[in-house]
Amino acid sequence: MKMIDVGEKPKTERVATARGFVTMSAATVRRIRAGDVEKGDVLAAARLAGVMAAKKTPDLVPLCHPIALSGVDVTADPGPRGVAVTATVRTVDRTGVEMEALAAVSAACLTIYDMLKRYEKGMSIQAIELMEKKGGRSGHWVRDG
Amino acid sequence: MKMIDVGEKPKTERVATARGFVTMSAATVRRIRAGDVEKGDVLAAARLAGVMAAKKTPDLVPLCHPIALSGVDVTADPGPRGVAVTATVRTVDRTGVEMEALAAVSAACLTIYDMLKRYEKGMSIQAIELMEKKGGRSGHWVRDG
Amino acid sequence: MKMIDVGEKPKTERVATARGFVTMSAATVRRIRAGDVEKGDVLAAARLAGVMAAKKTPDLVPLCHPIALSGVDVTADPGPRGVAVTATVRTVDRTGVEMEALAAVSAACLTIYDMLKRYEKGMSIQAIELMEKKGGRSGHWVRDG
Amino acid sequence: MKMIDVGEKPKTERVATARGFVTMSAATVRRIRAGDVEKGDVLAAARLAGVMAAKKTPDLVPLCHPIALSGVDVTADPGPRGVAVTATVRTVDRTGVEMEALAAVSAACLTIYDMLKRYEKGMSIQAIELMEKKGGRSGHWVRDG
Amino acid sequence: MKMIDVGEKPKTERVATARGFVTMSAATVRRIRAGDVEKGDVLAAARLAGVMAAKKTPDLVPLCHPIALSGVDVTADPGPRGVAVTATVRTVDRTGVEMEALAAVSAACLTIYDMLKRYEKGMSIQAIELMEKKGGRSGHWVRDG
Amino acid sequence: MKMIDVGEKPKTERVATARGFVTMSAATVRRIRAGDVEKGDVLAAARLAGVMAAKKTPDLVPLCHPIALSGVDVTADPGPRGVAVTATVRTVDRTGVEMEALAAVSAACLTIYDMLKRYEKGMSIQAIELMEKKGGRSGHWVRDG
């Protein structure tokens, strides 16, 4: 078990974008849109939870480096079959921020689930995936398809 | 935004089980089985990250109650198309532990991704779902299908 | 330095309410009401930050007991001279939750300041005070005046 | 909700100083001076809690950047009507440290309240304010009056 | 890897005491006694760090249960060859608090080292040990010798 | 109490290595080697706990600077009389990483104790010491003897 040494890598600008999806019934989506959720504003809470989780990534993912994030943006968009979440994380550091983007998406999806579980237990968190990654040795990577 | 008052609910035994899946290529699964991963033992790290994340759930999910967990068990099993993760969380408290089980699965999946991303960036975290929930007002719930 | 032993005290229902105020110019209040703040929804973020801080109180206040909170509600209301914040925290435990209510108010006020500091640096956080406290040996306490 | 991107801003030396005040009765001030407080040394605990809170600011204030603090100094001085707290925080980074200074003051004030609440519940935390800020695009700012 | 289920165990009063020792030169001990340490009051900081670490034990020790501590007392006593640290932790819960007592001692010792390392790098942390444990199935245990 | 300002020090490469030892009976060492421990893989958990604790050092040790760690490696080797732990931590920063190495060793030792305490309460954590330190103003330091 080790956190691999990155001390020799240069500090460069890096960006990563990830996405995920919480599937739910149309009735539950309507509830979000109507603001009829006892715990409060689902989309605002999800976005905030995502930003905060990006900052906690090294505490959640044991072998992840602590990174000085320079920006985090999380979106949460309700559609007919659920809520789509994306997170874009930026840094100027020695290692990439894909884990931070994935952690932000995960926490935002968990928060959506938490606020709605009273109404629907069978929701599913689907397709948490890296979409794009720029900067660093591995250059520009974009998800296929 | 509020953390709903559960002070009037009785303390009862509660159990929740969740699962998730990290899809990856057969080559990456072989790498896990062969122990050929620079960061170390993927399955042990994933299980430990899952247990620790269960304990951090109220810090990750903003409106979640702090709960005195009495037990957490996380499994991570490699199969032909990836690694299946499950988490079972127990408590004797006023509210359920489904968020703790889902958070444990999420963190275990993120950890698997982190340790293997050097070999395959296109892995996907799929189907993080509650499987079963016992105890409390809503009784015994089992996922369909 | 010690965290005083409360093991002999009975678990009883306890509630505490605290308030605070962030003073600012009328122009900044208008900006909040208009939603014209680059970082996002000030009042939603403040309320969520307050709830999360209540849960982190024993980590912020060194000699404070860890308490199983049963409910937290934070409000943030803009008025002509700034934003009034209140927090009500509930538990069924051996010690009171006034520190949790005060910590929630403090974090909500800091969050309001953070989101608006780009527009006005001279805001002031005023009168963070316990308003009411019920339960436990000291009974019902209400702030004078 | 977003943590605004600061990746293009240069790393420069930055300093911020904040202050706050806990008002209390003369009897309670005497108790601090006499060291007659069951939980221990109020001023030492407050100063330490302030330094630790400065480091936790990005965890308390949701949209705040994580910053590599280079120095933190917290003072706590009893006077006739209560305890005055100040915090000075330094960094060499892309964004300012006013939130860290304000968070340090807040946590120090909460700690003072916690250690003394057994003796006086009506204490008030007053005037948490930024006093001075140096470095960065906005230059040198000093509070009026 | 699992956090073993303790849900069937009764909640009982439990106490654990641990100790440890930081060895150092007589000159460094004199510096502590004289208050001639740039970072501040070594013994107050050590005691506070110990109390706070007791509360963070489940975050530090992966398979440790979260426990509602009812009291923590940490001492730090300078002697001719270094500083002796003890921690006593109490709870009314389903599992013992020996890890909390040991974690408190460890953090107090690390804090002593940190504040004095500028003056002496060769200090050693010695004999972190459980001294006594009461309550729970295993009854009263006292260290030999 | 202050976190001393290091803003004027240059960022340089720094490495620190620390060690520690958990003494136990031969029977308990055999249990580790045989994998006969109910909580799971002792050495993997200890190593992971060590890496995670290195990242949490500024939260554990009150006056310690937050540092951007570039690498952490923790080993745990069973021998006839117990388990020897070492941690090597690297950074490119303004201050050294000896506290991070010592905190990693401490947490790994506590984790070993926790997983085995059911079998042997009298284990002792011994000789947590800095072994070597490179980089920074004080140059290369190696422990005597």
Side-chain angles (χ1 to χ4, degrees):
Chain A
M1 303 290 190
K2 64 177 166 180
M3 195 170 83
I4 292 171
D5 186 26
V6 297
E8 310 248 316
K9 293 167 79 175
K11 287 198 177 186
T12 58
E13 205 184 335
R14 292 149 185 276
V15 188
T17 300
R19 71 162 176 208
F21 199 77
V22 187
T23 62
M24 60 189 69
S25 70
T28 304
V29 174
R30 278 195 300 272
R31 195 179 276 281
I32 297 174
R33 293 195 199 270
D36 182 21
V37 173
E38 188 185 11
K39 288 195 173 186
D41 181 340
V42 175
L43 304 176
R47 295 177 69 186
L48 213 67
V51 173
M52 295 186 85
K55 294 190 271 188
K56 282 172 206 160
T57 308
D59 195 36
L60 267 184
V61 181
L63 301 171
C64 211
H65 291 84
I67 290 185
L69 306 183
S70 58
V72 182
D73 197 355
V74 179
T75 66
D77 295 305
R81 294 175 44 230
V83 181
V85 172
T86 69
T88 296
V89 180
R90 292 165 196 279
T91 192
V92 182
D93 213 324
R94 294 189 170 81
T95 178
V97 282
E98 55 267 58
M99 292 319 301
E100 282 73 11
L102 291 162
V105 168
S106 295
C109 290
L110 289 170
T111 299
I112 291 168
Y113 188 97
D114 176 51
M115 295 180 81
L116 297 168
K117 67 181 192 291
R118 177 170 180 174
Y119 313 109
E120 181 178 353
K121 282 185 185 52
M123 290 173 290
S124 173
I125 300 175
Q126 288 292 348
I128 298 184
E129 294 171 339
L130 184 65
M131 297 309 293
E132 187 172 0
K133 179 182 187 304
K134 277 189 250 184
R137 216 164 32 191
S138 61
H140 190 176
W141 180 89
V142 181
R143 191 171 197 85
D144 278 350
Chain B
M1 304 287 190
K2 64 177 166 180
M3 197 169 84
I4 292 170
D5 186 25
V6 297
E8 309 248 316
K9 295 166 78 174
K11 288 200 176 186
T12 58
E13 207 184 334
R14 292 149 185 278
V15 188
T17 299
R19 71 163 176 209
F21 199 77
V22 187
T23 62
M24 59 189 72
S25 69
T28 304
V29 175
R30 279 194 300 273
R31 193 179 277 280
I32 296 174
R33 292 194 198 272
D36 182 22
V37 173
E38 188 184 12
K39 288 195 173 187
D41 181 339
V42 175
L43 304 176
R47 294 178 70 186
L48 213 67
V51 173
M52 296 185 85
K55 295 190 271 186
K56 281 172 209 160
T57 308
D59 194 36
L60 265 184
V61 180
L63 301 172
C64 211
H65 291 83
I67 291 186
L69 307 182
S70 59
V72 182
D73 198 353
V74 179
T75 66
D77 296 304
R81 296 174 43 229
V83 181
V85 172
T86 70
T88 296
V89 180
R90 292 166 196 278
T91 192
V92 182
D93 213 325
R94 294 189 170 80
T95 179
V97 282
E98 56 266 59
M99 292 319 301
E100 283 72 11
L102 290 163
V105 168
S106 294
C109 290
L110 289 170
T111 299
I112 291 168
Y113 188 97
D114 176 52
M115 295 180 81
L116 297 169
K117 67 180 192 291
R118 176 171 181 174
Y119 313 109
E120 182 178 352
K121 281 184 187 52
M123 290 173 290
S124 174
I125 299 175
Q126 288 293 348
I128 297 184
E129 294 170 339
L130 184 64
M131 297 310 292
E132 187 172 358
K133 179 180 187 306
K134 277 189 251 182
R137 218 165 30 193
S138 60
H140 190 176
W141 180 90
V142 181
R143 190 172 198 87
D144 278 349
Chain C
M1 303 289 190
K2 64 177 166 180
M3 196 170 84
I4 292 170
D5 187 25
V6 296
E8 310 246 316
K9 294 166 78 175
K11 287 199 176 186
T12 58
E13 207 184 334
R14 291 149 186 277
V15 188
T17 299
R19 71 164 176 206
F21 200 76
V22 188
T23 62
M24 60 188 71
S25 70
T28 303
V29 175
R30 278 195 301 272
R31 192 179 277 281
I32 296 174
R33 291 195 200 270
D36 183 21
V37 173
E38 188 184 11
K39 288 194 173 188
D41 181 339
V42 175
L43 304 177
R47 294 177 70 187
L48 213 67
V51 173
M52 296 186 83
K55 295 191 271 187
K56 281 172 209 160
T57 308
D59 194 37
L60 266 184
V61 181
L63 300 171
C64 211
H65 291 83
I67 291 186
L69 307 183
S70 58
V72 183
D73 197 354
V74 180
T75 65
D77 295 305
R81 295 175 43 231
V83 181
V85 172
T86 70
T88 297
V89 180
R90 291 166 196 279
T91 192
V92 182
D93 214 326
R94 294 188 171 79
T95 179
V97 283
E98 57 266 59
M99 292 320 301
E100 283 72 12
L102 290 163
V105 168
S106 294
C109 290
L110 289 170
T111 299
I112 291 168
Y113 187 97
D114 176 52
M115 295 180 81
L116 297 170
K117 68 182 190 290
R118 178 172 179 173
Y119 313 109
E120 182 178 352
K121 281 185 186 51
M123 290 173 291
S124 173
I125 299 175
Q126 288 293 348
I128 297 184
E129 294 171 339
L130 184 64
M131 298 309 294
E132 186 172 0
K133 179 180 188 304
K134 277 189 251 183
R137 216 166 30 193
S138 60
H140 190 175
W141 180 91
V142 181
R143 189 171 199 88
D144 278 350
Chain D
M1 302 289 189
K2 65 178 167 179
M3 196 170 84
I4 292 171
D5 186 26
V6 297
E8 310 247 317
K9 293 166 78 174
K11 287 198 177 186
T12 58
E13 206 184 335
R14 291 150 186 277
V15 188
T17 299
R19 71 162 176 209
F21 199 76
V22 187
T23 62
M24 60 189 70
S25 69
T28 304
V29 175
R30 278 195 300 274
R31 193 178 278 281
I32 297 174
R33 293 195 200 269
D36 182 20
V37 173
E38 188 185 11
K39 289 195 173 187
D41 181 340
V42 175
L43 304 176
R47 294 178 69 187
L48 214 66
V51 173
M52 296 186 84
K55 295 191 271 186
K56 282 172 207 160
T57 308
D59 195 36
L60 267 184
V61 181
L63 301 171
C64 210
H65 291 84
I67 291 186
L69 306 183
S70 58
V72 182
D73 197 354
V74 179
T75 66
D77 295 306
R81 294 176 44 230
V83 181
V85 172
T86 70
T88 297
V89 180
R90 292 164 195 279
T91 192
V92 182
D93 213 324
R94 293 188 171 81
T95 179
V97 283
E98 56 267 59
M99 292 319 302
E100 283 72 11
L102 290 163
V105 168
S106 295
C109 290
L110 289 169
T111 299
I112 291 167
Y113 188 98
D114 175 53
M115 296 180 81
L116 298 170
K117 68 181 191 291
R118 177 172 181 173
Y119 313 109
E120 181 178 353
K121 282 185 188 51
M123 290 173 290
S124 173
I125 300 176
Q126 289 292 349
I128 298 184
E129 295 171 338
L130 184 64
M131 297 310 292
E132 186 173 359
K133 180 182 188 302
K134 276 189 251 183
R137 217 165 30 192
S138 60
H140 191 176
W141 180 90
V142 181
R143 190 171 198 88
D144 278 350
Chain E
M1 304 290 191
K2 65 177 166 181
M3 196 170 84
I4 291 171
D5 186 26
V6 296
E8 310 247 316
K9 295 166 79 175
K11 287 199 176 186
T12 57
E13 207 184 333
R14 291 148 185 278
V15 187
T17 299
R19 70 162 176 209
F21 199 76
V22 187
T23 62
M24 61 188 71
S25 69
T28 304
V29 175
R30 278 194 300 273
R31 192 178 278 281
I32 296 174
R33 292 193 199 270
D36 182 21
V37 173
E38 188 185 11
K39 288 195 173 187
D41 181 339
V42 174
L43 304 176
R47 294 178 69 188
L48 213 67
V51 174
M52 296 186 84
K55 295 190 270 187
K56 283 172 207 160
T57 308
D59 194 37
L60 266 185
V61 181
L63 301 171
C64 211
H65 291 83
I67 292 186
L69 307 182
S70 58
V72 183
D73 197 354
V74 179
T75 65
D77 295 305
R81 296 176 41 231
V83 181
V85 172
T86 69
T88 297
V89 179
R90 292 165 195 278
T91 192
V92 182
D93 212 326
R94 294 189 170 79
T95 179
V97 283
E98 56 266 59
M99 292 319 302
E100 283 71 11
L102 290 163
V105 168
S106 294
C109 290
L110 289 170
T111 299
I112 291 168
Y113 188 98
D114 175 52
M115 294 180 81
L116 297 170
K117 68 181 191 293
R118 176 171 182 173
Y119 313 109
E120 181 177 352
K121 282 184 186 51
M123 290 172 290
S124 174
I125 299 175
Q126 288 293 349
I128 297 184
E129 294 171 338
L130 183 64
M131 297 310 292
E132 186 173 0
K133 179 182 188 304
K134 276 190 250 184
R137 215 164 34 194
S138 61
H140 190 176
W141 179 91
V142 180
R143 190 172 199 87
D144 278 350
Chain F
M1 304 289 191
K2 65 178 167 179
M3 196 170 83
I4 292 170
D5 186 27
V6 297
E8 310 247 316
K9 293 167 76 174
K11 287 198 177 187
T12 58
E13 207 184 333
R14 290 150 186 276
V15 188
T17 298
R19 71 163 176 208
F21 199 77
V22 187
T23 61
M24 61 189 71
S25 70
T28 304
V29 175
R30 278 195 300 274
R31 193 178 277 280
I32 296 174
R33 292 195 199 269
D36 182 21
V37 174
E38 188 185 11
K39 288 196 173 185
D41 181 340
V42 175
L43 304 176
R47 296 177 69 187
L48 214 65
V51 173
M52 295 186 85
K55 295 191 271 187
K56 282 172 207 159
T57 308
D59 195 36
L60 266 184
V61 181
L63 301 171
C64 211
H65 291 84
I67 291 185
L69 307 183
S70 58
V72 183
D73 197 354
V74 179
T75 65
D77 296 304
R81 295 175 43 232
V83 181
V85 171
T86 69
T88 297
V89 180
R90 292 166 195 279
T91 193
V92 183
D93 213 325
R94 292 188 172 81
T95 179
V97 282
E98 56 267 57
M99 292 319 302
E100 282 73 11
L102 291 163
V105 169
S106 295
C109 290
L110 289 170
T111 299
I112 291 168
Y113 188 97
D114 175 53
M115 296 180 81
L116 298 169
K117 69 181 190 292
R118 179 172 178 172
Y119 313 109
E120 181 178 352
K121 283 185 186 52
M123 290 173 291
S124 173
I125 300 176
Q126 288 293 349
I128 297 184
E129 293 171 339
L130 184 64
M131 297 310 293
E132 187 172 0
K133 179 181 188 301
K134 277 190 249 184
R137 213 164 34 192
S138 61
H140 189 175
W141 180 89
V142 181
R143 191 172 197 85
D144 277 349

